[in-house]
Amino acid sequence: NRVRAGIATFLQDQSKKNYSSSEQGLCVMYLTSLGIVRSTQERCNMVRKILRNMLVRYDERDVFMSREHLLNLRERLETPSSQQFSLPQVFIHGQLLGDA
């Protein structure tokens, strides 16, 4: 298993940033505090409540308040600036868990 993990690490695209090592043991949730689109705001609040009820420590990154978080999320999802994506997006151990 260690050999397979080593080969997988070696074969990864080196131009992409590897988040799995820097976010080991972390849960990161990208969300928005913008309340204009009510359905998106409700989904963000629902995921936040689920994580709190399960006593999961997580790092909130608001893409509305910080352009840096928005650009970071676009890089992680590999989406061009013209393409839209849904929020919230949840990452555990640097791996995309999915959107809500």
Side-chain angles (χ1 to χ4, degrees):
N1 288 343
R2 287 185 182 181
V3 173
R4 286 185 187 152
I7 292 171
T9 302
F10 181 74
L11 293 177
Q12 285 180 349
D13 187 6
Q14 298 301 321
S15 63
K16 293 181 184 177
K17 189 172 180 182
N18 188 1
Y19 292 96
S20 60
S21 61
S22 63
E23 291 184 356
Q24 188 64 32
L26 292 177
C27 177
V28 179
M29 181 171 72
Y30 288 89
L31 53 93
T32 183
S33 61
L34 181 65
I36 293 175
V37 183
R38 189 165 295 179
S39 62
T40 302
Q41 179 68 25
E42 288 173 357
R43 285 196 317 266
C44 292
N45 288 335
M46 184 64 66
V47 171
R48 183 183 293 137
K49 287 178 185 178
I50 290 170
L51 292 175
R52 283 184 185 162
N53 287 340
M54 296 180 71
L55 302 175
V56 174
R57 291 185 188 180
Y58 61 94
D59 183 20
E60 283 188 6
R61 297 185 182 171
D62 192 345
V63 297
F64 174 66
M65 297 300 287
S66 173
R67 181 159 176 81
E68 181 179 326
H69 292 322
L70 175 64
L71 296 174
N72 188 7
L73 180 59
R74 285 200 182 278
E75 178 185 318
R76 291 180 91 161
L77 295 176
E78 299 174 355
T79 58
S81 60
S82 61
Q83 186 178 356
Q84 293 182 355
F85 53 86
S86 63
L87 290 173
Q89 296 286 335
V90 180
F91 292 85
I92 296 179
H93 301 296
Q95 299 294 320
L96 177 63
L97 181 65
D99 58 349

